[in-house]
Structures are given as C-alpha cells and as structure tokens.
Amino acid sequence: MTQADLGADHRFRGREPRILVVEDDPTVAQVVTGYLRRSGYTPVHASDGAMGLELARQMTPDLVVLDVMLPGLDGIQVLRELRASNQVPVIMLTSLGEEEHRLRGLESGADDYLTKPFSPRELVLRVQSVLRRTIAMPPARVDGVLRVGDLLVDRSARVVSKAGRELNMPIKEFELLVFMIRNAGRVVRRDELMREVWAHNFGDASTVTVHVRRLREKIEDDPSRPALLKTVWGVGYRLDLPETGAGSA
C-alpha cells in the first residue's frame, strides 16, 4: 500500500491523514512537519504537552508523533492521557540513552518509537507502516470474530473482550494478539514479530517484550504464570490454545 493508497482509503475519505506532532524543539518540529507535508500528510504542531492534548481533542488525529521530553506535561503523561480516552497510534521520540523513557513509553501504550537523532525519512516510513496496519479492513474482507477460551477478538471492530468484559487494547497489542492466534501452537521468534507486527526488519527486542508483558496482563488469569501466551526461552513466544480451542464465533 502506497501513500496514495493511504490517502484514498475509506478511513480517510479522500483526505490527507492528519498527524499531530508534539515537539518543543522548533528545529526538529519544522523538519518533521516539512517531511510529513511533502509525503502527503497534514501535520499539526504542538509545542508542549498541554497544547498537544487540546489539539488531539479538537482535531482527532490519525496518528501522533510525541516527544518524551516536553515542558510541563512530559510525553509519558500525555500518552497516558491519550490512552485514557482513545487508541490513536502513537510514535514516541526519545533521546539517545533514554532507555528508561523508551520502556515507560512502550508500557504506557506507545505503538513505536524512534531514537534521536533520527532520519526524517525513517520517521515518514514508520508513520506509513503504523497507519497501514491500523486501517480497518472493509467489512466484506473480515473473517468474523476469533474465540480463544473466554477471549473474543473482533477484527472488524478491533475490540477484544474477556469473559464478556471489553479490554482496553492499543493497536499494536491487538495486532500482536491476532498474529499469535493465527500462529497458535507455533514458536514465533522476536525478529519475526518485529517484521510481521511492527514491519521492521530490525529493532529493539524490548519493544516485543514490553508488548507481550502488557498483553499478558490483560488476557491471562495469572500473568505471572501465563496459560496462553508463553515464553520459549532463548527463542520467542508461543500461544497455546485452551482445551476449548479457537475458532470463529
């Protein structure tokens, strides 16, 4: 799917996808918004966290590029506020060496991250990748609702429920769960998950680790002793089906 395909997709109704850029460094903001605009997006800039939250409420962005280090409300606080009300995709920007911030961002619901200094072209590719994977498929192409034990996964509505209770699940956690269900019983390596779920041929394995941990906290009865999503040490992860199996509801 090309950028033209994204802009023409039913989700965007022929308009350019709206990208909210929350960045306090004016030089970085100017470069990022310039590249996004030239790539066919409509970027809107916020210079601090409070402004970013207000613009997010007003414009309903299709994706947010969010710096961690912001005056006032920092990026982690902004991300948590966003996640309390919606599941808009978020790409975090962190400085080199800020591993703690990066992990906190992933744990708070970020879909992806880039480490400064970064190539603006790489950011555009990450934006394309995240948007491509968050566009809902037309209803005619959806295969129904997946059932795994007491989990129901509605791929059309992108909703997951456990024992009748809807789970708050960001895009990447949803995609990770669907991918593991589709590959149930098979050991999936971390690099395969980076490639298939995040569309990266390389990346930090902590991205996968954090998302798996967050997913377990929602789908497992006891996350410390997972019955569904298990770690195969030194290799990757395997989703084991309960005795009731899995299928379409």
Side-chain angles (χ1 to χ4, degrees), residues 156-227:
S156 177
R158 291 185 179 269
V159 171
V160 179
S161 60
K162 177 177 173 62
R165 179 175 60 87
E166 185 174 330
L167 304 178
N168 180 15
M169 190 164 293
I171 295 296
K172 286 303 174 188
E173 290 178 35
F174 180 88
E175 292 176 353
L176 175 61
L177 176 59
V178 169
F179 185 82
M180 293 304 298
I181 292 174
R182 287 175 172 170
N183 291 273
R186 180 172 75 85
V187 178
V188 181
R189 299 178 62 89
R190 290 177 178 84
D191 58 354
E192 182 180 355
L193 288 172
M194 287 297 298
R195 184 173 63 253
E196 298 298 330
V197 179
W198 280 266
H200 302 332
N201 290 323
F202 58 89
D204 189 341
S206 64
T207 301
V208 175
T209 303
V210 170
H211 278 76
V212 167
R213 182 168 68 244
R214 282 171 31 202
L215 188 56
R216 281 176 174 156
E217 290 171 354
K218 297 173 182 178
I219 69 172
E220 298 283 359
D221 293 331
D222 182 359
S224 64
R225 301 177 63 185

Side-chain angles (χ1 to χ4, degrees), residues 7-21:
D9 191 274
H10 68 94
R11 172 181 169 181
F12 301 115
R13 302 180 186 276
R15 63 172 173 80
E16 295 178 341
R18 296 185 294 260
I19 312 295
L20 175 59
V21 179

Side-chain angles (χ1 to χ4, degrees), residues 31-172:
V31 171
V32 168
T33 56
Y35 266 80
L36 288 171
R37 188 173 295 108
R38 288 192 293 273
S39 299
Y41 299 100
T42 299
V44 177
H45 175 228
S47 57
D48 59 49
M51 183 187 298
L53 285 174
E54 182 59 30
L55 285 174
R57 297 186 186 101
Q58 292 177 7
M59 64 179 282
T60 314
D62 299 298
L63 183 143
V64 178
V65 176
L66 177 62
D67 189 20
V68 170
M69 302 301 290
L70 294 169
L73 288 175
D74 66 24
I76 302 299
Q77 292 172 299
V78 172
L79 177 58
R80 288 172 178 164
E81 288 286 336
L82 288 172
R83 283 287 173 262
S85 59
N86 65 69
Q87 300 303 323
V88 60
V90 176
I91 297 177
M92 299 289 290
L93 303 180
T94 66
S95 296
L96 188 64
E98 291 179 347
E99 181 177 4
E100 179 183 352
H101 290 152
R102 183 172 71 247
L103 293 177
R104 285 175 60 203
L106 291 170
E107 290 170 347
S108 298
D111 297 277
D112 203 351
Y113 73 89
L114 272 176
T115 301
K116 295 180 179 179
F118 58 85
S119 162
R121 187 171 182 274
E122 182 180 0
L123 174 61
V124 170
L125 292 174
R126 295 287 183 98
V127 168
Q128 290 177 357
S129 174
V130 172
L131 284 178
R132 183 183 301 118
R133 289 172 176 271
T134 56
I135 294 173
M137 294 173 63
R141 295 175 57 191
V142 176
D143 297 327
V145 178
L146 294 174
R147 183 191 298 272
V148 179
D150 61 354
L151 287 176
L152 286 179
V153 182
D154 187 333
R155 284 176 287 176
S156 177
R158 291 185 179 269
V159 171
V160 179
S161 60
K162 177 177 173 62
R165 179 175 60 87
E166 185 174 330
L167 304 178
N168 180 15
M169 190 164 293
I171 295 296
K172 286 303 174 188

